[in-house]
Amino acid sequence: MTSRSSGIFPRRLNWFYVPAIALFAVFSIYPLISGVSLSLTNWNGYSRSKAFIGLDNYARLLDDEVFRTALVNTLIYGVGSTLIQQVLGLALAVVLDRIVRGASLLRAVIYLPVMVSPVVLGTMYYLIFRYNNGALNDVRALFGAEQVAWLSDATVGIVVIVIVNSLQFVGISMVIYLAGLQAVPTEYHEAAQLDGATWWQSFRSITLPLLQPAFATSIVLNLIGGLKLFDVVQVLTGGGPGQSTHSVSTLIGETYFSNQAAGYSAAIGVVLFVLIVAVTFVLNSQLNRKRVEL
């Protein structure tokens, strides 16, 4: 009786995977296959007719200056936001780990922007940086300074987007690092203090190496989010001035809806997918190898 149950139970248990696999296939695998097949056509997104054109859309990307600009911006958004979030997130986690009173409230306040829609948060910052009646320009006017078109300059716009995205999601890094800090055995630090180590020496030699799993998780999550950035860019600049602040994601939307080039838009999406997969794979490999060496 026992052997029959042990033989049947695993086969029944496997059926529990079916709903998850079905959902993954419908919402991930099928759209991916459809996107790749669509990228090989000249479909405009509206008509019923579409023609197979092979790799022409991908060849067109090589000469597309707007795409190259969006690709560089996407890397800036991803890498820049990730670096800022790691530094701020780790600093906040270290401070909160040492605070006894009010730590829970501070954690909730810092994490709160993560739960706010990027569109809502982007709109709030747009009201701060816009030229006419912007909060920042109104403050400057109180001191007799001239108004500044913050979002009309490509460089300033890119910096603002990176900062806004970083401030919204720094709470994720903070929570990850805080969990990592609280998992470090206190005995290690006590032993270091007995050996005469300073706080910085203990943090550098004990805490940071033991935070490698937290570093890996936080960096990968933040980088993927930054490479997919859409909402904040769309709300703050709309890809302008001109098309100088586009991310690849916002360029996909503009190409599809404004230029009515669904096939070309799909090709851009496939390239973005490959970029994210490649960056994630390389980053995970490097971080895991470093963790093994420790």
Side-chain angles (χ1 to χ4, degrees):
M1 184 69 179
T2 304
S3 60
R4 178 181 297 180
S5 299
S6 61
I8 295 176
F9 185 71
R11 289 198 294 270
R12 289 181 177 177
L13 182 63
N14 290 339
W15 285 101
F16 287 105
Y17 293 104
V18 173
I21 294 174
L23 290 174
F24 180 74
V26 171
F27 293 104
S28 296
I29 301 300
Y30 174 72
L32 176 61
I33 296 175
S34 298
V36 173
S37 62
L38 184 61
S39 70
L40 304 177
T41 69
N42 64 349
W43 189 45
N44 61 9
Y46 300 97
S47 65
R48 295 183 178 180
S49 62
K50 63 180 74 170
F52 178 80
I53 59 174
L55 300 177
D56 288 357
N57 285 326
Y58 295 96
R60 178 180 167 188
L61 286 173
L62 299 176
D63 298 323
D64 192 338
E65 183 66 30
V66 176
F67 171 73
R68 286 198 293 267
T69 300
L71 185 61
V72 172
N73 290 342
T74 298
L75 294 175
I76 294 175
Y77 296 148
V79 176
S81 298
T82 300
L83 291 176
I84 294 175
Q85 289 171 40
Q86 304 323 301
V87 174
L88 287 181
L90 181 58
L92 290 170
V94 171
V95 172
L96 291 175
D97 189 49
R98 300 172 67 88
I99 294 178
V100 178
R101 294 183 179 180
S104 298
L105 177 61
L106 290 174
R107 272 180 281 182
V109 171
I110 296 171
Y111 191 80
L112 183 62
V114 177
M115 298 183 290
V116 178
S117 169
V119 174
V120 174
L121 197 69
T123 302
M124 293 171 56
Y125 279 100
Y126 174 75
L127 296 176
I128 294 175
F129 288 102
R130 68 179 180 178
Y131 182 75
N132 291 321
N133 300 320
L136 193 55
N137 276 332
D138 287 347
V139 172
R140 288 173 56 86
L142 293 176
F143 296 94
E146 295 182 356
Q147 290 183 327
V148 177
W150 304 99
L151 300 178
S152 296
D153 182 271
T155 302
V156 176
I158 291 173
V159 172
V160 169
I161 290 170
V162 170
I163 292 175
V164 170
N165 185 61
S166 301
L167 293 179
Q168 178 173 13
F169 295 106
V170 69
I172 296 178
S173 297
M174 178 202 68
V175 170
I176 294 173
Y177 289 132
L178 191 59
L181 288 172
Q182 294 176 349
V184 176
T186 57
E187 293 83 359
Y188 293 174
H189 295 291
E190 293 173 355
Q193 290 177 357
L194 292 175
D195 290 337
T198 63
W199 177 87
W200 171 247
Q201 291 173 331
S202 177
F203 180 78
R204 184 184 60 187
S205 302
I206 298 175
T207 305
L208 286 181
L210 293 176
L211 282 179
Q212 287 300 322
F215 276 118
T217 302
S218 179
I219 291 174
V220 170
L221 288 177
N222 293 150
L223 186 58
I224 292 176
L227 293 176
K228 297 190 302 179
L229 195 60
F230 174 84
D231 310 75
V232 173
V233 180
Q234 190 65 36
V235 173
L236 284 176
T237 66
Q243 295 178 315
S244 57
T245 60
H246 265 307
S247 67
V248 174
S249 295
T250 57
L251 182 60
I252 291 172
E254 181 178 285
T255 303
Y256 190 112
F257 295 105
S258 299
N259 301 340
Q260 298 184 8
Y264 188 55
S265 175
I268 299 175
V270 171
V271 172
L272 177 61
F273 171 77
V274 173
L275 173 65
I276 293 176
V277 171
V279 170
T280 304
F281 177 78
V282 172
L283 192 59
N284 266 327
S285 300
Q286 294 297 321
L287 292 172
N288 288 334
R289 186 173 64 180
K290 187 170 181 60
R291 182 165 51 185
V292 169
E293 290 174 355
L294 292 171

